[in-house]
Amino acid sequence: MAKGNINVSVENIFPLIKKFLYSDHEIFLRELISNGTDATLKLQHLITIGEAEGVELGDAKLEVKIDKEGKKLHIIDQGLGMTEDEVEKYINQIAFSGAEEFIEKYKDKVEDSGIIGHFGLGFYSAFMVASKVELITKSYKDAPAVKWSCDGSPNYELEEVEKAERGTEIILHIAEDSEEFLEESKISGLLTKYNRFNQVPIKFGTKKVNDPNFEPKVTKKEDGTEEKEPHKQIDVDNIINNTNPAWTKKPSDLEADDYKNFYRELYPMQFEEPLFNIHLNVDYPFNLTGILYFPKLSKNMDMQKDKIQLYQNQVFVTDNVEGIVPDFLQMLKGVIDSPDIPLNVSRSYLQADGAVKKISGYITKKIADKLSSIYKKDRQAFEGYWDDIKVIIEYGMLSDEKFFEKANKFALYPTTDGQYVTIDEIKEQFKDAQTDKDGKLVVLYSANKQAQHSFIQSANDKGYKVLLLDSPIVSHLIQKLESTNENVTFVRVDADHIDNLIKKDDNIISKLSDEEKDKLKPIIEAAVPKENYTVQLEAMDSNASPFIITVPEFMRRMKEMSATGGGGMFGMENMPEMYNLVVNTNNPLVSDILNADEEKQQGLISQAFDLAKLSQNLLHGEDLTKFIKRSYELIK
Ligand SMILES: Nc1ncnc2c1ncn2[C@@H]1O[C@H](COP(=O)(O)OP(=O)(O)OP(=O)(O)O)[C@@H](O)[C@H]1O
């Protein structure tokens, strides 16, 4: 038996490994399974290129076995194995120096990451959970099997042993503080988390299935009924993984249903079907495959669940793809798989990394292209998706200039009468009716069809279209649209009386003289709270309401932008609500107010003001009670 000293330059690496990345202890299993997978794929490669004559791969698989009594965990592969010399080289030198380097580099930076420790610790990560590790291996070459063992001190033992089958078995003597890793449910959970798409099949125990070669006998009972013998059950290997997940296949080999089935496989607890998907497949200047799905926005959408999963060669790494996938696409679902994303580095490094930036740019471009192609090929379907996807697209238009340029051509704006129009269509179709006397196209919008019904109605009566823009970031978006489209201005339909929103040349003559107006204005001002209302006398159509409450566009938009962040003026969301009370000097009731005695005047103003508030949903509490009482008095 050979004994040796692992070439230690760090005083003692094992206590460090044990302490390291406390919360990430579980990754030892993924590391060992990755080694077994590599060993199997390497052998397969050697066979393919004729370097392993007479060797057959068979249905090589990995196996994970728990020995609860012996407190051991076995990871077994049928890969290329190692000779004694190779164990010396790969385990005592390469694996060790890998672990040493890794720890040296990151021991002070554990808190810096979230992603550190995802890869790179390798074979020696076994010591995070084991007090002793044995490695028994037989090379595919004609050489004796060897057993290496190490109890966590820098000393190891290496001896020849008997082992019939080719491959490597790792035996972990699970440490007292890590006995959870002897629980079947724990190991099964880890295998599902990290290895459910592993490239080589993994056996974990057996499962019972009906014997396909057994025909249950049917016998006739005395009472004439038939009785079927119970089906014979047999034990078969419980293979926990799918070695060929959809994203590794060619898009041309997949049908729409295959994508849907994969979605279900990925998120078994998600019952909503995805809207559509995007298959990513690039090999230059970086390698990346994957499938991203646009989900249906469910009402109680839990953003935290079912996120995009990042894999490296079919091994799960993380579902925190921040920095790799642009923020606005984090609501998508699916998988990306790339060997080119550096994982054992901090997030800030990741965001500055050139390759990662390219990946993020590529994903954005693919998404924009896919959306554009659906829009062009099947506008109706695209309109059907719009309500579910608009938040993602609008957010993208605001956060990524390149995406804006593409999306600006297909982003849709619904009208209150159920049409969907693009910005170019708005400019084309609305311009005749809605260009004001100064040559500006005024685009009217509403945030709430019900609450702003009367304003929408007045606009429609004039032949104007009103957009229905109700997403939370709409004020930012229209600000962006105004800055990129000359002579186009957006205004909410309740921002003023319709004749003031789109000013045409035809001036309406006021029935009240200037003196009468000067007399009326202070009377009304005295009757309404002046901290919230600015009284404005306007000559309008005599059929228009006498009093109209409007919400000035500029103030409201700045407040909204300030409330949703990234615009407006700081602190504006806390300013009191400001309204205009527009008084229609051509409405006969307004003349009546002017000519009434003081008591009647007050009664008329209160009633008209309350009605105006009512139509804006602003009449509440005591004011509403008084209004109802007063109204009953009037109809008595
Ligand atoms: N099951 C195995 N079968 C054959 N060789 C193995 C096995 N496990 C480890 N090795 C050898 O030991 C080497 C070191 O393993 P280790 O896991 O530390 O690093 P790695 O796999 O090279 O890289 P990584 O840091 O990504 O895990 C491997 O490169 C491989 O040559």
Side-chain angles (χ1 to χ4, degrees), residues 17 82 102 188 272 276 307 312 346 348 391 399 404 412 414 422-423 434 451 465 522 525 602 613:
I17 290 178
M82 283 178 276
F102 184 79
S188 149
E272 200 83 73
F276 52 90
K307 296 199 282 189
Q312 228 179 44
S346 70
S348 49
V391 184
S399 54
F404 176 84
L412 296 177
T422 63
I423 186 73
Q434 294 180 218
K465 293 268 187 194
E525 276 173 339
Q602 288 310 313
K613 278 165 85 178

Side-chain angles (χ1 to χ4, degrees), residues 239-339:
I239 302 294
I240 61 97
N241 54 327
N242 167 6
T243 56
N244 286 310
W247 83 83
T248 62
K249 297 178 185 165
K250 277 205 240 106
S252 54
D253 292 344
L254 294 166
E255 306 278 337
D257 266 354
D258 298 320
Y259 287 106
K260 282 188 192 153
N261 291 340
F262 179 62
Y263 189 73
R264 249 172 259 137
E265 185 179 353
L266 206 53
Y267 307 116
M269 302 310 285
Q270 172 68 252
F271 300 107
E272 200 83 73
E273 295 225 321
L275 296 170
F276 52 90
N277 62 271
I278 293 146
H279 199 135
L280 308 169
N281 198 339
V282 59
D283 48 22
Y284 183 82
F286 48 80
N287 266 295
L288 180 105
T289 50
I291 301 174
L292 292 178
Y293 294 89
F294 268 80
K296 233 184 153 109
L297 287 188
S298 55
K299 287 222 167 55
N300 41 7
M301 190 171 47
D302 184 352
M303 301 290 227
Q304 291 311 303
K305 255 181 44 208
D306 297 344
K307 296 199 282 189
I308 298 176
Q309 302 180 355
L310 175 66
Y311 285 73
Q312 228 179 44
N313 296 321
Q314 295 177 228
V315 178
F316 174 82
V317 180
T318 176
D319 60 6
N320 179 357
V321 291
E322 200 187 311
I324 300 160
V325 173
D327 274 355
F328 75 97
L329 295 174
Q330 305 262 342
M331 271 184 275
L332 301 191
K333 315 238 172 263
V335 169
I336 51 177
D337 187 338
S338 172

Side-chain angles (χ1 to χ4, degrees), residues 31 35-36 38-39 42 77 80-82 90-91 94-95 120-123 168:
E31 295 292 308
N35 283 349
D38 288 349
K42 274 183 203 159
D77 70 63
L80 84 180
M82 283 178 276
Y90 296 137
I91 300 299
I94 295 186
L121 197 50
F123 174 73
T168 303

Side-chain angles (χ1 to χ4, degrees), residues 510-542:
S510 175
K511 279 187 195 158
L512 297 191
S513 67
D514 286 350
E515 294 82 61
E516 286 172 314
K517 283 198 242 169
D518 289 343
K519 197 175 149 204
L520 180 66
K521 201 173 177 195
I523 298 173
I524 297 175
E525 276 173 339
V528 302
K530 58 169 161 310
E531 59 282 10
N532 304 102
Y533 290 89
T534 310
V535 176
Q536 191 182 311
L537 268 50
E538 299 274 348
M540 299 188 291
D541 193 313
S542 57

Side-chain angles (χ1 to χ4, degrees), residues 8 76 112 115 172 179 188 219 280 286 318 322 333 341 367 430 543 553 605 625:
V8 191
I76 305 158
D112 173 29
I115 206 162
L172 307 181
E179 283 181 7
S188 149
T219 43
L280 308 169
F286 48 80
T318 176
E322 200 187 311
K333 315 238 172 263
I341 299 173
I367 301 272
F430 294 12
N543 289 323
E553 177 74 13
I605 294 175
T625 314

Side-chain angles (χ1 to χ4, degrees), residues 61-280:
K61 53 179 166 296
L62 308 181
E63 181 173 4
V64 178
K65 242 175 15 190
I66 299 173
D67 169 3
K68 220 169 170 173
E69 264 162 41
K71 301 199 169 165
K72 285 183 283 192
L73 187 67
H74 300 245
I75 294 109
I76 305 158
D77 70 63
Q78 298 162 4
L80 84 180
M82 283 178 276
T83 62
E84 184 169 346
D85 285 351
E86 286 167 342
V87 173
E88 279 280 2
K89 186 167 156 200
Y90 296 137
I91 300 299
N92 291 339
Q93 292 167 29
I94 295 186
F96 185 78
S97 58
E100 187 187 40
E101 188 191 337
F102 184 79
I103 290 200
E104 260 304 285
K105 217 159 156 186
Y106 298 116
K107 67 180 175 197
D108 302 326
K109 297 191 198 152
V110 179
E111 67 292 342
D112 173 29
S113 71
I115 206 162
I116 286 181
H118 276 301
F119 271 85
L121 197 50
F123 174 73
Y124 280 91
S125 64
F127 286 97
M128 293 198 292
V129 298
S131 53
K132 179 178 176 189
V133 178
E134 292 171 292
L135 175 148
I136 303 166
T137 181
K138 181 166 168 53
S139 168
Y140 74 99
K141 297 174 200 158
D142 187 18
V146 283
K147 175 169 149 184
W148 173 96
S149 61
C150 177
D151 63 3
S153 73
N155 306 315
Y156 69 89
E157 288 174 2
L158 191 58
E159 61 183 318
E160 267 186 32
V161 287
E162 283 303 311
K163 181 180 185 336
E165 323 77 39
R166 169 201 77 219
T168 303
E169 173 165 5
I170 313 281
I171 305 166
L172 307 181
H173 295 255
I174 297 296
E176 246 168 48
D177 60 0
S178 299
E179 283 181 7
E180 56 179 314
F181 296 109
L182 293 168
E183 297 300 329
E184 197 178 315
S185 59
K186 178 77 187 176
I187 296 299
S188 149
L190 292 181
L191 291 172
T192 314
K193 177 173 173 187
Y194 292 107
N195 299 110
R196 65 173 160 154
F197 301 117
N198 201 68
Q199 285 175 277
V200 175
I202 302 169
K203 174 188 172 186
F204 183 54
T206 56
K207 61 179 178 190
K208 292 212 179 302
V209 291
N210 286 343
D211 182 353
N213 300 319
F214 178 78
E215 274 284 324
K217 272 199 208 108
V218 181
T219 43
K220 253 205 166 98
K221 287 206 295 193
E222 274 173 20
D223 62 1
T225 56
E226 287 188 343
E227 192 177 47
K228 209 173 177 184
E229 180 188 18
H231 213 296
K232 193 173 143 201
Q233 297 229 300
I234 50 166
D235 287 326
V236 293
D237 289 353
N238 177 31
I239 302 294
I240 61 97
N241 54 327
N242 167 6
T243 56
N244 286 310
W247 83 83
T248 62
K249 297 178 185 165
K250 277 205 240 106
S252 54
D253 292 344
L254 294 166
E255 306 278 337
D257 266 354
D258 298 320
Y259 287 106
K260 282 188 192 153
N261 291 340
F262 179 62
Y263 189 73
R264 249 172 259 137
E265 185 179 353
L266 206 53
Y267 307 116
M269 302 310 285
Q270 172 68 252
F271 300 107
E272 200 83 73
E273 295 225 321
L275 296 170
F276 52 90
N277 62 271
I278 293 146
H279 199 135
L280 308 169

